[in-house]
Amino acid sequence: MANGRTAREIKRVRNEMLVALKMLYPAALQAEQLMRSLLSLFPALEWDHFRRDLAYLSEKGYLQRVVADTESDERLTPWRQRWFRLTSRGVELAEHLIDDPALDP
Amino acid sequence: MTVAKKKTARRAPAAKRTTGKRKTVERKHTATQSVNALGASSDPAISTYRRRMQLVGELLNAALDELIGARNRSDRLGRAAYLHIIGQVFEALDGLSQAIPLDDLVKLSKIVAEQRRVELNTRKVDPDARRARNGDRPPPAESEPDEPQTRGLPAHFGEIVRQIYGASFAEDVDGGASQDGTAAQPATESLPASARSAD
């Protein structure tokens, strides 16, 4: 277990994040809005875990951050107010066109 | 001399044990389907959620198609405004527009938890204060809950109170019984209506 979550739970949450953003693609969504939407599926989802998943998926290249022009310094924007959308690679993964063993069940 | 062959019932050929393997295969296949989050899901909650997100996405893209498609054009709205509109439409469609902000929710939870703690501490303190006020009058005995039953409260009411609030309905540290049972009344009044019997 990692930080109180099983591997299966981690993968489920990450996969549903990708699926939700795929449904909205190419639109972006704020992190807080995405999390509140996922709370209906995962009531025990914690913000810290969700934020780590966002960072992880971004580093893997499946998500990209969209910076609003009102963000004077993007580094100072709280994570909850940051916008994210799927990359083309994220879309391919969400559509099963490519595989990722770390996200496979 | 021929030996009579012992006649035995012919046994049916042993059935091939394929059910176990099939079950395993099916289980694996089913498990794959149920956890294959990026494909079809057998979990109804996940299926419902994905269907809603799909509809929200279709509506979003249909309503804001020009805005989304124009993101590379210079005459497009500022990116912040575009994102703000996207977010507001998403919240309205996903049913989040009535939701309490997370920060407020956290504050509310803390307030409710604190109030609960104060209530529990008050109930624990009250029996001592009541005993001190009553002086020599001993607290009501355990048999006291039977009296409320005669007034319409359920049986074992004291036990129910003890389980819910962690405090005795009738203080029985000294093991004595009250003379008139009136000491129990304040505890009843302080209990929420749901703990009392419905007449």
Side-chain angles (χ1 to χ4, degrees):
Chain A
M1 286 180 81
N3 295 321
R5 297 196 293 174
T6 63
R8 185 167 181 264
E9 289 168 349
I10 292 171
K11 286 179 181 178
R12 285 186 74 194
V13 171
R14 289 175 182 172
N15 283 323
E16 290 311 312
M17 288 167 66
L18 293 173
V19 169
L21 288 173
K22 187 201 80 168
M23 301 298 186
L24 304 171
Y25 183 82
L29 203 58
Q30 228 171 11
E32 184 175 11
Q33 291 168 334
L34 181 59
M35 182 180 171
R36 278 165 35 178
S37 180
L38 288 171
L39 281 173
S40 61
L41 266 184
F42 309 107
L45 182 61
E46 295 180 21
W47 168 251
D48 284 341
H49 296 155
F50 178 76
R51 186 173 62 82
R52 273 198 282 268
D53 292 338
L54 278 176
Y56 167 80
L57 292 173
S58 299
E59 287 176 17
K60 290 275 277 191
Y62 301 134
L63 296 186
Q64 73 175 137
R65 183 184 169 190
V66 178
V67 180
D69 50 7
T70 52
E71 298 182 48
S72 55
D73 189 344
E74 59 189 69
R75 295 170 298 178
L76 299 180
T77 305
W79 272 82
R80 289 183 178 179
Q81 294 169 20
R82 295 184 183 185
W83 300 84
F84 294 89
R85 65 188 285 267
L86 277 191
T87 60
S88 54
R89 195 153 172 261
V91 174
E92 288 167 0
L93 178 69
E95 291 176 344
H96 271 299
L97 301 177
I98 60 175
D99 289 328
D100 187 337
L103 291 173
D104 285 340
Chain B
M1 187 168 84
T2 59
V3 176
K5 283 188 178 179
K6 185 178 178 183
K7 290 183 180 178
T8 55
R10 177 179 289 185
R11 281 186 180 179
K16 281 188 180 179
R17 298 189 58 142
T18 58
T19 52
K21 287 184 183 177
R22 196 177 303 123
K23 280 185 181 177
T24 303
V25 168
E26 284 178 351
R27 190 165 51 249
K28 282 184 178 176
H29 186 56
T30 304
T32 303
Q33 278 186 338
S34 67
V35 300
N36 193 356
L38 299 185
S41 173
S42 61
D43 187 343
I46 291 181
S47 297
T48 306
Y49 174 76
R50 287 185 189 175
R51 178 66 182 152
R52 186 170 80 245
M53 293 303 292
Q54 182 183 0
L55 293 171
V56 169
E58 287 174 2
L59 285 169
L60 207 65
N61 284 297
L64 302 174
D65 183 50
E66 291 185 6
L67 204 62
I68 295 170
R71 66 181 180 275
N72 293 325
R73 286 164 33 187
S74 58
D75 57 350
R76 186 185 142 250
L77 289 176
R79 178 172 278 183
Y82 152 74
L83 292 173
H84 183 74
I85 292 171
I86 293 283
Q88 291 295 315
V89 173
F90 172 80
E91 280 199 0
L93 292 176
D94 197 35
L96 296 175
S97 55
Q98 303 300 324
I100 301 173
L102 272 176
D103 288 340
D104 291 347
L105 202 59
V106 168
K107 288 176 193 171
L108 280 171
S109 299
K110 286 181 182 174
I111 292 170
V112 169
E114 190 57 39
Q115 280 180 339
R116 180 81 181 125
R117 255 194 302 276
V118 168
E119 280 177 13
L120 286 174
N121 289 336
T122 304
R123 284 200 187 91
K124 287 177 185 173
V125 167
D126 271 348
D128 294 333
R130 192 170 59 244
R131 251 205 324 280
R133 281 198 306 272
N134 293 340
D136 294 335
R137 250 175 25 178
E142 284 187 356
S143 59
E144 192 60 28
D146 293 336
E147 278 201 22
Q149 187 177 3
T150 63
R151 296 198 293 265
L153 293 173
H156 309 297
F157 186 68
E159 187 59 33
I160 294 171
V161 170
R162 192 176 300 112
Q163 288 177 10
I164 293 174
Y165 297 105
S168 297
F169 175 72
E171 183 62 46
D172 59 347
V173 173
D174 297 332
S178 70
Q179 304 274 334
D180 51 8
T182 55
Q185 205 161 1
T188 307
E189 289 173 353
S190 67
L191 292 170
S194 59
R196 305 179 196 148
S197 71
D199 289 325

